[in-house]
């Protein structure tokens, strides 16, 4: 047993675990449940080291909880719809279904090679009809509840490919397929009314006690609740009016111009037939090539265009010019901004550039504002000026008074606004869940009846990369009959955003084989909520927000037993090499297959958990991998050398010698340390380090003249059981080599003996003039006088005292003795 033969042993146990369904679970009300879940992967074809880290973290937690008596649900599946499969169809002339299934098979094989304790009977794939049938069913339920609507919306459009592009397909404002500059095009799009749940999504963040603070802050900022007023501005010489949301009604007297988003529906109408029409169209076309991030970035120059119209300020009846500008978006507020250049940096920059009046209406309490020499907007609080009857008020009080005034005069109202926009779910693609809607000339928009679900993706489609969605090329799909009148009708050819598929999969895992409903509420009530959710911080906003939204809607429908899906959240760091994230383009990718074939899965798992705490970025280290491999082989040799001599599970272990007491202390201290590190902090790196220390102590102990084989048997059992979640294959093999018939992963997690942690002997540091010169072990109850005598009689200390005069002896109980000499 000189070397751990990982190729043979890991394959052996993977086959046994699969054959015996070792990790299959079902509801058991007599046991405490624990739901451990890693975010399911997109089946790209190969696992990367980020996957290995994510799934290894989840597996340690799942195995640890199982060994602590929990009924553990630990499922896996595939977020299998999406753009890459469609691109593969275009590029390689292979059907997305074939490409996806091939990738799933490859990645499933790799996950099994890692020995992850998944209940494979609960495997889901979002691209299979037995899953997307229920995604469509949920769409219909949202539709019935009034949470689904359709409206025109600007989308990314490639004029060369003649197709709509998802944001992921736009790279540096160009089409990733043909590198053509992308424009915007207005198309009818489907939306979920997530804004109906904005308040609850914000308020219930307080329920997420087990989430990282940074993620909660990101969610709060994305929802972006702000308080203010919506004010009506009439357009001069027109019956039209603009509704403007502002968080600063106190500055309304300082409005000197109005800015509309170029996409605002009134813009084209206001300039039609005027001398400004052509200029406005060119400006809008120019902005169509810019992303929202580019348009609103603080370092981007503010650009705008006067459109020849004026609005009327409802409080002072002054005419103010209307502009369109790059920094105002239709997606926030009402798409119209009352510009107050004296008190807003963007408006100030814009006004300076276009020579627009700047009128201060707030000043510091004891100072005045010199408009002529103003070089920045004044954005702090202060006293209102140039504001008619509101002059002299503190601006916060003035804000309240102005809101009261506009409400009394029916020119506005107090309101709340959110940064959060409704969720655009339409995708002009093939490889996604078909939207279950039919269009009939006679009956209008008609939902597909539930009995006709699923609406299946057709196979007779053409992938050209040009024109509309490939679904439009399937006549068998597009042409159908109206379920109401029986007449000719057309199907919706948009598919759903893949975030829809991943917004409820955790509920499907609780009842994966149900053919009558998405999941049984009783089963979901047993398993939900997810006790520990694990995934990358890049999903901190959209996926988690959408999953929370879905859960709340389903809760309101009486389907979900919980209001929030994930009790605790762990966002693991990235795997880096040479200081950069691993990527093919950087040429710094380390393949999991390469590591597994050279060192084994247990080594890969152990290293990736030992190298850094889970939430931190991990720097890849070849020497670290080799070190983990050497450690496992040390454990292998230790057990191999002693397996025929040690006594496992001795009823009574006599602990007599000081060496026995020291090893027993380390055993129990390691159990405590590893248990605390996994249970409370997920500090797997320090847990593994503690196991390594126990292995070192056991090696030292076995070299003693007189070995207590019952005690060293306890040590080896402790090492194997504590190491089992980290290195499941090797520990399983060694466990059976020691004569055990049941799996080590069904073994009860050890408990430490607190009395063994009370040392009768303690180590004392002996110093001379503050420098350590010796260490001695003494009885923990030693008196100060006795300790001083021990120090002065130490042979090493005596050598440093020769020819010197002892000035004083400082004793720090239980720690050190410092002898001061001169």
């Amino acid at each position: 047993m000189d070397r751990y033969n990982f190729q043979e042993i890991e394959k052996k146990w993977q086959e046994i675990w699969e054959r015996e369904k070792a990790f299959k679970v079902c509801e058991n009300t007599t046991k405490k449940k624990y739901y451990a879940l890693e975010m399911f992967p997109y089946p790209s074809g190969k696992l990367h080291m980020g996957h290995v880290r994510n799934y290894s973290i989840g597996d340690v937690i799942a195995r640890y909880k199982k060994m602590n008596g929990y009924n553990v649900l630990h499922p896996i599946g595939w977020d299998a719809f999406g753009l890459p499969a469609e691109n593969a169809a275009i590029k390689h002339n292979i059907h997305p279904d074939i490409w996806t299934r091939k990738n799933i098979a490859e990645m499933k094989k790799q996950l099994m090679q890692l020995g992850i304790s998944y209940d494979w009977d609960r495997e889901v794939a979002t691209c299979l009809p037995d899953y997307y049938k229920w995604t469509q069913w949920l769409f219909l339920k949202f539709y019935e509840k009034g949470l689904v609507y359709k409206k025109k919306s600007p989308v990314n459009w490639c004029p060369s490919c003649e197709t709509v592009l998802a944001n992921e397909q736009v790279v540096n404002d160009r089409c990733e397929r043909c590198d053509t500059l992308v424009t915007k095009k207005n198309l009818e799009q489907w939306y979920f009314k997530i804004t109906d749940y904005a308040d609850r999504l914000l308020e219930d963040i307080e329920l997420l006690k087990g989430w990282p603070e940074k993620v909660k802050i990101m969610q709060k900022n994305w929802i972006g609740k702000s308080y203010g007023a919506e004010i009506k501005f009439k357009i001069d010489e027109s019956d039209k009016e603009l509704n403007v949301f502002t968080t600063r009604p106190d500055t309304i007297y300082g409005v000197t111009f109005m800015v509309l988003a170029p996409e605002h529906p009134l813009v084209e109408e206001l300039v039609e037939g005027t001398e400004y029409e052509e200029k406005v169209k060119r400006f809008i076309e120019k902005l169509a090539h810019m992303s929202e991030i580019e348009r609103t970035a603080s370092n981007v120059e503010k650009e705008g265009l006067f459109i020849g119209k004026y609005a009327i300020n409802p409080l002072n009846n002054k005419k103010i010019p209307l502009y369109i500008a790059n920094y105002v978006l239709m997606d926030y507020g009402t798409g119209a901004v009352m510009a107050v250049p004296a008190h807003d940096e963007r408006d100030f920059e814009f006004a300076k550039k276009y020579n627009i009046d700047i009128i201060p209406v707030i000043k510091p309490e004891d100072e005045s504002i010199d408009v002529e020499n103003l070089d920045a907007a004044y954005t702090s609080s202060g006293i209102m000026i140039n504001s008619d009857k509101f002059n002299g008020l503190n601006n916060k009080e003035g804000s309240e008074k102005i809101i009261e005034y506009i409400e009394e005069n029916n020119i506005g109202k107090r309101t709340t606004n959110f940064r959060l926009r409704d969720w655009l779910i339409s995708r002009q693609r093939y490889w996604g869940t078909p939207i279950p809607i039919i269009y009939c000339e006679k009956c209008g928009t008609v939902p597909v009846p539930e009995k006709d679900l699923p609406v299946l993706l057709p196979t007779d489609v053409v992938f050209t990369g040009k024109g509309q969605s490939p679904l439009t090329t399937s006549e068998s799909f597009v042409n159908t009959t109206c379920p109401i009148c029986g007449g000719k009708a057309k199907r919706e050819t948009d598919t759903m955003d893949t975030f829809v598929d991943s917004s409820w999969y955790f509920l499907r895992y609780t009842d994966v084989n149900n053919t009558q409903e998405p999941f049984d509420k009783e089963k979901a009530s047993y398993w939900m909520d997810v006790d520990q959710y694990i995934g990358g911080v890049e999903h901190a906003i959209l996926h988690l927000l959408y999953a929370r939204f879905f859960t709340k809607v389903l809760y309101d429908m009486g389907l979900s037993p919980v209001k929030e899906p994930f009790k605790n959240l762990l966002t693991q760091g990235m795997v880096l090499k040479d200081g950069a994230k691993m990527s093919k383009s950087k040429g710094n990718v380390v393949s999991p297959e390469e590591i597994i074939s050279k060192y084994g899965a247990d080594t890969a798992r152990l290293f990736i958990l030992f190298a850094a705490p889970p939430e931190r970025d991990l720097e890849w280290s070849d020497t670290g991998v080799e070190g983990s491999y050497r450690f496992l082989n040390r454990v292998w040799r230790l057990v191999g050398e002693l397996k025929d001599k040690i006594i496992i599970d001795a009823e009574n272990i006599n602990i007599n010698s000081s060496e026995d007491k020291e090893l027993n202390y380390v055993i129990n201290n390691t159990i405590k340390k590893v248990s605390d590190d996994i249970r409370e902090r997920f500090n797997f790196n320090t847990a593994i380090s503690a196991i390594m220390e126990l292995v070192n102590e056991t090696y030292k102990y076995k070299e003693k003249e007189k070995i207590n084989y019952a005690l060293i048997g306890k040590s080896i059992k402790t090492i194997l059981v504590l190491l089992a979640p980290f290195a499941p294959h090797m520990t399983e093999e060694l466990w059976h080599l020691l004569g055990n018939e049941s799996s080590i992963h069904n073994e009860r997690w050890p408990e430490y003996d607190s009395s063994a942690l009370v040392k009768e002997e303690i180590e004392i540091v002996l110093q001379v003039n503050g420098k350590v010169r010796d260490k001695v072990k003494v009885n923990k109850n030693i008196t100060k006088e006795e300790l001083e005598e021990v120090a002065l009689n130490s042979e090493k200390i005596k050598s440093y005292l020769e020819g010197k005069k002892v000035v004083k002896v400082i004793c720090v109980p239980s720690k050190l003795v410092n002898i001061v000499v001169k």
Side-chain angles (χ1 to χ4, degrees):
M1 287 186 62
D2 290 338
R3 188 178 66 85
Y4 167 46
N5 185 347
F6 60 84
Q7 290 101 334
E8 181 183 306
I9 290 165
E10 291 183 351
K11 185 180 179 188
K12 166 190 167 181
W13 285 110
Q14 287 158 15
E15 288 173 352
I16 292 172
W17 294 335
E18 183 182 4
R19 184 171 66 247
E20 295 181 353
K21 294 187 181 292
F23 309 110
K24 181 178 174 62
V25 290
C26 56
E27 297 72 36
N28 182 348
T29 54
T30 65
K31 294 182 78 174
K32 297 175 292 181
K33 71 90 184 179
Y34 193 89
Y35 189 170
L37 183 63
E38 303 94 65
M39 295 179 186
F40 64 171
Y42 179 77
S44 57
K46 293 284 183 185
L47 292 181
H48 54 67
M49 280 301 172
H51 287 128
V52 175
R53 191 180 195 195
N54 189 19
Y55 306 136
S56 296
I57 290 167
D59 199 42
V60 170
I61 295 168
R63 289 178 184 274
Y64 169 78
K65 288 294 180 180
K66 184 179 181 184
M67 295 171 82
N68 275 275
Y70 286 85
N71 191 28
V72 177
L73 174 60
H74 189 208
I76 191 64
W78 312 97
D79 193 7
F81 274 138
L83 190 60
E86 203 152 329
N87 284 344
I90 296 163
K91 187 175 180 180
H92 303 296
N93 195 28
I94 183 173
H95 195 279
D97 182 66
I98 297 170
W99 187 83
T100 301
R101 287 175 186 264
K102 178 173 171 287
N103 289 347
I104 287 174
E106 177 65 26
M107 290 178 75
K108 183 173 181 177
K109 182 183 80 173
Q110 290 180 299
L111 284 174
M112 287 182 158
Q113 285 174 340
L114 281 168
I116 310 293
S117 60
Y118 290 132
D119 180 355
W120 284 102
D121 284 354
R122 293 178 185 263
E123 181 183 8
V124 302
T126 59
C127 65
L128 298 181
D130 65 355
Y131 185 89
Y132 72 70
K133 169 185 178 176
W134 298 113
T135 303
Q136 292 172 340
W137 185 87
L138 291 171
F139 175 95
L140 295 177
K141 292 300 173 187
F142 279 44
Y143 189 86
E144 289 171 14
K145 195 174 167 65
L147 290 171
V148 181
Y149 67 94
K150 197 175 189 184
K151 72 168 185 179
K152 267 198 171 181
S153 177
V155 294
N156 301 315
W157 178 260
C158 174
S160 174
C161 297
E162 299 175 16
T163 187
V164 172
L165 302 178
N167 288 335
E168 309 97 302
Q169 292 173 288
V170 181
V171 180
N172 297 324
D173 299 323
R174 294 179 176 274
C175 173
E176 69 165 6
R177 294 175 185 166
C178 68
D179 205 39
T180 300
L181 205 59
V182 172
T183 62
K184 292 285 185 182
K185 187 172 184 177
N186 277 330
L187 288 179
E188 291 280 337
Q189 304 280 287
W190 286 98
Y191 288 83
F192 280 158
K193 291 183 74 175
I194 191 173
T195 52
D196 279 11
Y197 281 75
D199 267 319
R200 282 171 62 185
L201 287 166
L202 189 61
E203 290 162 7
D204 287 354
I205 287 174
E206 299 307 313
L207 303 176
L208 307 175
K209 307 296 185 189
W211 283 39
E213 199 58 36
K214 66 177 180 181
V215 175
K216 293 194 281 187
I217 290 169
M218 289 164 79
Q219 292 239 331
K220 285 177 183 176
N221 290 342
W222 188 263
I223 296 166
K225 188 173 186 177
S226 53
Y227 301 93
E230 194 171 280
I231 304 173
K232 301 173 188 174
F233 285 74
K234 289 184 177 178
I235 295 176
D236 191 35
E237 299 179 352
S238 167
D239 59 353
K240 305 289 183 185
E241 61 182 22
L242 289 165
N243 288 325
V244 176
F245 172 78
T246 178
T247 58
R248 296 291 308 272
D250 54 309
T251 64
I252 191 166
Y253 284 91
V255 176
T256 59
F257 64 102
M258 181 85 72
V259 185
L260 301 180
E263 303 86 2
H264 196 290
L266 270 181
V267 171
E268 287 189 20
E269 187 178 335
L270 291 174
V271 300
E272 188 177 0
T274 71
E275 62 184 288
Y276 296 92
E277 183 174 13
E278 210 48 51
K279 293 178 189 174
V280 167
K281 283 183 178 177
R282 285 200 300 271
F283 187 78
I284 292 173
E285 190 177 331
K286 176 185 174 183
L287 292 188
H289 297 299
M290 295 179 69
S291 69
E292 292 183 1
I293 294 173
E294 287 177 303
R295 282 174 55 179
T296 56
S298 59
N299 60 344
V300 171
E301 185 181 357
K302 308 298 176 277
E303 288 188 289
L305 183 69
F306 175 55
I307 65 170
K309 298 290 181 182
Y310 293 84
I312 306 297
N313 187 325
L315 267 74
N316 59 17
N317 290 317
K318 284 186 178 180
K319 286 171 64 173
I320 51 177
L322 286 178
Y323 284 77
I324 55 174
N326 58 350
Y327 68 92
V328 177
L329 304 175
M330 196 61 214
D331 278 349
Y332 183 74
T334 62
V337 171
M338 60 175 228
V340 187
H343 305 291
D344 180 273
E345 290 294 352
R346 295 184 312 172
D347 297 343
F348 181 86
E349 184 183 331
F350 192 90
K352 282 287 189 182
K353 180 174 181 177
Y354 292 100
N355 199 28
I356 303 171
D357 288 346
I358 298 174
I359 301 174
V361 290
I362 311 286
K363 75 172 190 67
E365 284 203 26
D366 302 319
E367 299 174 35
S368 59
I369 288 185
D370 180 4
V371 182
E372 297 299 323
N373 297 312
L374 202 63
D375 57 4
Y378 177 72
T379 57
S380 301
S381 297
I383 304 300
M384 294 179 68
I385 58 173
N386 298 324
S387 299
D388 198 24
K389 59 187 173 188
F390 301 102
N391 284 339
L393 292 175
N394 174 281
N395 71 296
K396 289 184 180 176
E397 183 187 354
S399 187
E400 281 297 311
K401 295 288 186 186
I402 286 175
I403 291 174
E404 290 171 12
Y405 178 83
I406 63 173
E407 286 185 326
E408 287 169 6
N409 290 274
N410 197 30
I411 53 176
K413 60 181 179 179
R414 184 187 310 272
T415 190
T416 303
N417 196 43
F418 291 91
R419 180 178 182 270
L420 181 68
R421 301 291 89 198
D422 279 338
W423 177 7
L424 192 163
I425 66 157
S426 290
R427 296 294 180 267
Q428 291 71 35
R429 308 183 201 148
Y430 167 78
W431 196 235
T433 299
I435 294 175
I437 291 290
I438 290 170
Y439 301 105
C440 172
E441 286 189 13
K442 182 180 176 183
C443 305
T445 301
V446 181
V448 172
E450 288 181 24
K451 66 179 179 62
D452 294 337
L453 298 180
V455 177
L456 293 168
L457 281 169
T459 55
D460 57 337
V461 292
V462 179
F463 297 98
T464 63
K466 288 184 177 288
Q468 293 176 298
S469 163
L471 275 178
T472 61
T473 67
S474 171
E475 291 192 16
S476 64
F477 177 83
V478 173
N479 298 313
T480 187
T481 54
C482 174
I484 295 176
C485 70
K488 289 182 179 180
K490 303 279 187 183
R491 287 194 188 279
E492 172 62 72
T493 55
D494 282 357
T495 54
M496 294 186 215
D497 179 7
T498 55
F499 275 121
V500 179
D501 307 319
S502 60
S503 292
W504 72 280
Y505 77 108
F506 44 88
L507 284 159
R508 182 64 175 174
Y509 280 144
T510 67
D511 190 19
V512 72
N513 296 312
N514 196 327
T515 59
Q516 303 305 308
E517 53 188 340
F519 51 87
D520 176 70
K521 188 176 180 181
E522 192 175 331
K523 290 183 177 180
S525 296
Y526 175 79
W527 291 115
M528 290 294 291
D529 47 13
V530 174
D531 292 281
Q532 186 63 58
Y533 199 36
I534 305 157
V537 74
E538 66 271 18
H539 301 294
I541 298 176
L542 294 183
H543 164 60
L544 292 174
L545 192 68
Y546 294 153
R548 294 181 62 221
F549 166 58
F550 253 66
T551 303
K552 291 182 186 305
V553 176
L554 297 181
Y555 179 83
D556 290 351
M557 292 179 181
L559 296 173
S560 170
V562 293
K563 295 179 182 178
E564 288 287 342
F566 313 122
K567 185 177 182 180
N568 297 293
L569 174 69
L570 172 64
T571 53
Q572 89 276 3
M574 294 187 295
V575 180
L576 311 176
K577 193 166 193 298
D578 304 323
K581 183 180 178 181
M582 287 188 183
S583 71
K584 290 179 182 176
S585 61
K586 291 188 176 74
N588 64 348
V589 172
V590 177
S591 161
E593 285 183 324
E594 176 189 335
I595 299 300
I596 292 170
S597 66
K598 189 174 180 181
Y599 298 104
D602 281 358
T603 295
R605 291 167 57 119
L606 192 74
F607 165 72
I608 215 150
L609 294 167
F610 179 58
E615 70 280 1
R616 303 268 184 88
D617 289 345
L618 178 157
E619 179 66 38
W620 185 262
S621 164
D622 292 333
T623 56
V625 176
E626 290 163 6
S628 296
Y629 180 63
R630 285 196 302 272
F631 168 70
L632 290 178
N633 275 284
R634 287 193 81 214
V635 175
W636 180 263
R637 288 192 300 273
L638 179 67
V639 178
E641 183 181 335
L642 296 171
K643 68 183 178 68
D644 297 325
K645 302 174 185 176
I646 57 177
I647 302 167
I648 297 289
D649 290 330
E651 286 190 17
N652 294 301
I653 302 175
N654 294 318
I655 298 172
N656 301 313
S657 69
S658 60
E659 290 90 351
D660 286 0
K661 290 173 184 176
E662 181 60 27
L663 180 59
N664 193 45
Y665 170 83
V666 176
I667 290 168
N668 284 280
N669 191 54
T670 304
I671 293 170
K672 183 179 186 303
K673 171 72 172 163
V674 174
S675 301
D676 289 348
D677 282 348
I678 297 177
R679 180 183 61 249
E680 295 176 10
R681 296 177 287 272
F682 296 154
N683 283 352
F684 304 130
N685 56 323
T686 53
I688 293 167
S689 180
I691 298 170
M692 289 176 172
E693 288 176 23
L694 178 56
V695 171
N696 290 340
E697 287 298 320
T698 309
Y699 261 99
K700 271 196 253 179
Y701 180 85
K702 79 178 180 66
E703 299 304 322
K704 303 292 180 186
E705 207 170 295
K706 191 174 180 182
I707 297 175
N708 182 336
Y709 285 106
L711 179 62
I712 203 168
K714 178 183 177 182
S715 182
I716 283 174
K717 178 181 177 181
T718 301
I719 290 166
L720 294 181
V721 173
L722 297 184
L723 191 57
F726 303 97
H729 304 90
M730 188 190 76
T731 52
E732 186 81 285
E733 178 72 10
L734 291 174
W735 186 247
H736 282 75
L737 285 173
L738 290 174
N740 296 288
E741 293 184 3
S742 63
S743 171
I744 192 171
H745 303 293
N746 293 328
E747 188 67 14
R748 188 74 184 179
W749 191 260
E751 294 181 2
Y752 66 90
D753 177 3
S754 56
S755 65
L757 298 179
V758 179
K759 284 191 170 184
E760 290 184 10
E761 284 192 333
I762 54 175
E763 189 173 68
I764 297 292
V765 171
L766 304 182
Q767 298 176 338
V768 176
N769 286 347
K771 292 185 178 181
V772 177
R773 299 305 187 187
D774 197 8
K775 293 178 182 178
V776 293
K777 286 190 176 180
V778 297
N779 187 287
K780 68 182 179 68
N781 296 316
I782 192 170
T783 66
K784 188 176 178 181
E785 292 74 20
E786 289 170 334
L787 187 56
E788 184 176 323
E789 187 179 342
V790 167
L792 291 170
N793 287 324
S794 160
E795 291 301 322
K796 285 186 180 179
I797 294 298
K798 283 180 181 178
S799 67
Y800 287 101
L801 300 183
E802 286 180 9
K804 304 281 176 69
K805 181 184 177 183
V806 175
V807 178
K808 61 179 173 179
V809 179
I810 303 167
C811 289
V812 180
S814 304
K815 288 188 178 179
L816 61 84
V817 177
N818 182 27
I819 301 169
V820 181
V821 299
K822 68 176 184 179

